[in-house]
Amino acid sequence: GLEQAILPRDLTLIGQFSLSKNQLSSIEIPEKVTRIGDNAFASNRLSAVTFPPSVTEMGSEAFSENAFVEFAFPPSLKELKSYILENNKQLLKVTIPGSITRLHSSICWGCTSLKQLILEDGTENLYISLNNTDFKDCPLEYIYIGRNIADSGISEIKYHSAFDDIPTLKKAEFGNITKIPSYMFYYCENLAEFSLPGTLKSIGWCAFESTAIEKIVIPESVTYIEYYAFESSPNLREVDIKGPLRALPVGIFADCNKLEKLTLPSTISKIETGSLSDTPIQEFRCPDDLVEIGDNAFYGCKNLERIHFNDKLTHIGDRAFQN
């Protein structure tokens, strides 16, 4: 039933379960504390906590089952342990500092009101464990990603990332990142607002497949895009690729059944298999350097009326313009 705790100034460790299962509503962590143990403040009524810059370690479930509305981790941490904020039912916003290099599984498991997740800018890549780390039980509407998400273990696991298949997600913003890993926002079917930063160099497999975006501008900095990056995005109407891409990847805009306007750079030399299949484009002008149109490239483009070939084109693949 403890409602208030004033901790000693010289305290350096708050051990596991130290103050769990009480009625604390706020706590100030002393300036010399470096470690907060597992479940240290679990099952209280905390809505406010003050961290000193000395805290470098925080255990699993350290602040689980409390009453936070917003929670910002201290900028001295390097790692977030599993279930650290589990079952904070009133939690709306979580800020993860740029010092964090690793997120373990399900840090916000059971946070059924969480709408905003901020991954602050930082210099090191952020590694997110894929074992139930996802935020699928959180009604996230907004995500800010300020640094690269390490794609080790992501591109190899089909249809799975920390942020895929979140039906409530509407908006994503990016800091000065250089890559978007595979399946990053796969099947976030209401994600309608995002812009790609001018520092971006690569976009992974199916990164934005089946999202609700209407217009995409791919900046000049992007030199590499994996297969199916924007496939089956039902609201996509306009695409403008600024970067010096050499190929339009396999299936990149396949089944985007409202795509009408496509601007490609002159550097495109190959349109790969099924790149624009089953889209409603009416006219296509071959880029200056295009030499090959791959199999099924325009398969099922029932509205296609005009094609302007260039003088360099040497190959048209099987079923390129079938149906």
Side-chain angles (χ1 to χ4, degrees):
L2 192 65
E3 295 180 357
Q4 186 179 12
I6 300 173
L7 303 177
R9 266 189 262 176
D10 290 335
L11 198 66
T12 59
L13 167 67
I14 301 173
Q16 59 183 2
F17 294 96
S18 293
L19 289 161
S20 64
K21 297 184 180 179
N22 281 292
Q23 302 296 317
L24 298 174
S25 59
S26 65
I27 193 73
E28 183 175 349
I29 310 296
E31 291 185 0
K32 294 183 180 180
V33 170
T34 59
R35 290 188 294 153
I36 298 173
D38 296 349
N39 296 87
F41 294 97
S43 302
N44 276 279
R45 296 179 178 178
L46 288 173
S47 60
V49 59
T50 304
F51 293 109
S54 56
V55 177
T56 58
E57 185 177 336
M58 193 178 293
S60 298
E61 301 181 57
F63 291 93
S64 63
E65 297 185 19
N66 276 282
F68 293 106
V69 175
E70 294 189 11
F71 193 95
F73 288 97
S76 44
L77 286 179
K78 291 288 186 183
E79 189 173 2
L80 293 187
K81 299 292 181 65
S82 301
Y83 303 100
I84 201 164
L85 289 172
E86 178 187 22
N87 288 332
N88 272 266
K89 301 292 186 183
Q90 300 173 58
L91 189 62
L92 298 176
K93 179 180 178 181
V94 170
T95 301
I96 295 174
S99 59
I100 298 293
T101 58
R102 187 179 183 91
L103 266 64
H104 285 271
S105 60
S106 305
I107 63 169
C108 293
W109 187 266
C111 295
T112 52
S113 298
L114 183 62
K115 294 185 182 299
Q116 296 187 49
L117 178 66
I118 313 296
L119 304 177
E120 291 186 325
D121 296 8
T123 56
E124 295 188 60
N125 288 355
L126 177 63
Y127 178 79
I128 300 180
S129 168
L130 290 178
N131 297 323
N132 298 316
T133 310
D134 50 34
F135 293 84
K136 290 181 178 59
D137 66 331
C138 304
L140 281 174
E141 295 180 359
Y142 171 81
I143 292 177
Y144 174 81
I145 297 177
R147 56 220 172 94
N148 289 336
I149 307 296
D151 57 6
S152 175
I154 292 180
S155 59
E156 292 83 5
I157 301 177
K158 195 174 184 180
Y159 306 152
H160 194 82
S161 83
F163 308 115
D164 70 346
D165 197 15
I166 301 177
T168 53
L169 188 63
K170 298 177 181 178
K171 182 177 180 179
E173 289 187 312
F174 303 98
N176 294 327
I177 62 173
T178 60
K179 63 180 180 179
I180 294 175
S182 297
Y183 302 101
M184 183 70 157
F185 294 109
Y186 172 81
Y187 218 82
C188 291
E189 58 187 1
N190 288 302
L191 178 58
E193 190 175 349
F194 63 84
S195 58
L196 303 176
T199 54
L200 192 66
K201 295 181 179 179
S202 65
I203 300 172
W205 279 71
C206 305
F208 295 97
E209 183 177 340
S210 299
T211 56
I213 192 72
E214 294 185 8
K215 179 180 178 180
I216 295 169
V217 178
I218 298 177
E220 292 181 7
S221 56
V222 175
T223 58
Y224 185 69
I225 303 175
E226 291 273 16
Y227 297 173
Y228 308 110
F230 301 96
E231 183 190 20
S232 299
S233 294
N235 297 333
L236 186 59
R237 297 178 182 275
E238 184 176 346
V239 174
D240 185 359
I241 300 178
K242 306 283 191 182
L245 290 181
R246 300 298 301 167
L248 198 63
V250 172
I252 183 171
F253 300 117
D255 295 309
C256 292
N257 52 30
K258 290 185 180 178
L259 182 61
E260 296 174 348
K261 185 177 181 181
L262 176 66
T263 304
L264 298 177
S266 60
T267 55
I268 295 283
S269 62
K270 182 179 181 180
I271 297 175
E272 297 194 17
T273 302
S275 294
L276 295 161
S277 60
D278 294 301
T279 57
I281 61 171
Q282 296 180 341
E283 183 174 3
F284 182 78
R285 184 177 296 275
C286 291
D288 293 344
D289 291 344
L290 189 71
V291 295
E292 181 176 348
I293 295 175
D295 297 347
N296 301 295
F298 295 88
Y299 179 93
C301 293
K302 298 184 185 301
N303 296 334
L304 185 58
E305 296 177 350
R306 291 175 297 279
I307 303 166
H308 304 271
F309 294 113
N310 63 20
D311 293 334
K312 294 183 179 180
L313 190 68
T314 59
H315 179 80
I316 296 176
D318 294 342
R319 300 171 302 278
F321 298 99
Q322 187 170 334
N323 289 350

